């Protein structure tokens, strides 16, 4: 059941010109999902019209990118923060629409962010427990609120695009992986010589950043020509009794995902299922570099898999961001 969801669009337009109002006061709720933060903008965001989430993303990118930076970048945020702009949905039976963004740009979909958004809407009393539809730039997804923290996200169709692709990475050598879609584009690497330990994140960041650069230099792209901007390394779990695999995920702005990455886990599951290593309906437990775990199952379609990702989020703050026109750093440090 949908309660009185009020959306970010036009929150202050009755009293003040939108630009002034939206740059003055932005209400946000912060949560973390397995350690990865989500900042949901619940009021004071820009008016992006009534088109699809993909169309609104383009308007935000073209006209309001300074607000993205103001909301997630330092000094109000940090490189690791993912923003989620709550929007009016197009379809009346959707609970909401959302545009996800980070320190350098926008995300088609975000698994941990959808879990964070769901828990935020429940926390605000705007949604009840149960299943709801959510419109994202990558397509419509569903989420089910099991309780105040645990959420299952029915992600967009996920699939492998390229198998066993080898790129020559300067300073590292040949690296082989798969290019797969899970709502974002991933290069998934299981064969590497890295230790997936939290103490090693600086080295892991440099290593995966080098792989990303090599993919770009080699012209490796997603199916529609999109940049492959998430790099995912896999290794053994800390404890095989609780997880099947541990990952390290490099995000587009060089931050690493503290959660197991919902879209990355979806991409992984698509590859595992195509290889027959996980069957439809079997659970895959993906551990993150910080030790948090998502559980994933999927059913197959003609062209990929439909993953269901389960994780938990916790509310960690509610605040009003103030953007003072006199502040030379009002739009944040550039990402
Ligand atoms: O959970 O899908 C995800 C995600 C993408 C980037 C950061 N988290």
């Amino acid at each position: 059941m949908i309660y009185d969801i009020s959306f970010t669009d036009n929150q202050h337009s009755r009293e003040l010109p939108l630009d002034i109002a939206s740059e003055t006061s932005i209400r946000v709720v912060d949560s973390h999902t397995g350690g990865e933060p989500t900042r949901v903008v619940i009021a004071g965001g820009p008016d992006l019209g009534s088109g699809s989430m993909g169309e609104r993303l383009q308007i935000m990118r073209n006209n309001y990118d300074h607000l993205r930076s103001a909301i997630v970048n330092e000094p109000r945020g940090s490189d690791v923060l993912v923003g989620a702009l709550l929007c009016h949905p197009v379809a009346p039976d959707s609970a909401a629409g959302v545009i996800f963004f980070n320190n350098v740009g926008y995300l088609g979909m975000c698994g941990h962010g959808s879990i964070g958004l769901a828990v935020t809407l429940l926390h605000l009393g705007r949604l009840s427990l149960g299943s709801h539809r959510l419109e994202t730039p990558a397509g419509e997804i569903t989420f089910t609120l099991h309780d105040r923290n645990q959420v299952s996200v029915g992600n967009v169709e996920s699939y492998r695009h390229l198998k066993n692709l080898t790129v020559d990475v300067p300073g590292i050598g040949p690296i082989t992986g798969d290019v797969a879609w899970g709502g974002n584009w991933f290069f998934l690497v299981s064969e590497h010589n890295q230790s997936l330990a939290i103490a090693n994140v600086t080295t892991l960041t440099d290593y995966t950043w080098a792989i990303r650069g090599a993919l770009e230099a080699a012209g490796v792209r997603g199916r529609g020509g999109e940049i492959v901007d998430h790099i995912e390394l896999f290794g053994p779990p800390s404890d095989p009794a609780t997880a099947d695999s541990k990952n390290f995920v490099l995000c587009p702005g060089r931050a690493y995902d503290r959660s197991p990455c919902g879209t990355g886990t979806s991409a992984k599951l698509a590859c595992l299922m195509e290889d027959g290593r996980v069957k439809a309906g079997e659970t895959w437990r993906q551990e993150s570099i910080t030790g948090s775990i998502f559980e994933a199952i999927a059913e197959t379609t003609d062209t990929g898999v439909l993953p269901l990702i389960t994780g938990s989020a916790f509310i960690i703050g509610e605040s009003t961001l103030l953007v003072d026109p006199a502040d030379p750093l009002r739009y944040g440090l550039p990402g």
Side-chain angles (χ1 to χ4, degrees), residues 13 32 40 86 91 93 139-141 148 153 155 178 186 189 196 216 240 279 307 313 330 335:
S13 57
H32 81 85
V40 179
L86 184 63
D93 58 347
E140 185 185 287
I141 65 153
R148 62 196 282 262
V153 171
N155 196 10
D178 293 347
F186 290 82
V189 180
L196 300 193
E216 275 197 60
K279 303 214 173 345
R330 61 191 176 283

Side-chain angles (χ1 to χ4, degrees), residues 33 36-38 80 82 102 107 109-115 155 182-184 186 230 249-252 255-266 294 309:
T33 309
E36 181 79 350
T38 306
V80 67
V82 170
N102 61 18
L107 294 165
M109 215 325 255
C110 182
H112 94 267
S114 300
I115 295 171
N155 196 10
N184 295 297
F186 290 82
H230 292 73
V249 183
L250 182 78
C251 296
Y256 68 92
D257 197 333
R258 275 67 171 166
S259 86
C261 193
T263 51
T265 300
S266 299
F294 284 170
I309 308 289

Side-chain angles (χ1 to χ4, degrees), residues 118-166:
V119 164
T120 296
L121 292 174
L122 184 73
H123 166 78
L124 294 170
R126 295 178 179 189
L127 282 184
S128 57
L129 296 181
S131 297
H132 307 275
R133 289 179 211 273
L134 178 67
E135 295 170 11
T136 79
E140 185 185 287
I141 65 153
T142 60
F143 63 82
T144 302
L145 275 153
H146 302 291
D147 58 33
R148 62 196 282 262
N149 303 112
Q150 198 191 41
V151 179
S152 295
V153 171
N155 196 10
V156 294
E157 186 181 72
S158 303
Y159 57 89
R160 175 157 58 195
H161 175 53
L162 298 169
K163 182 175 178 173
N164 283 341
L165 177 92
T166 301

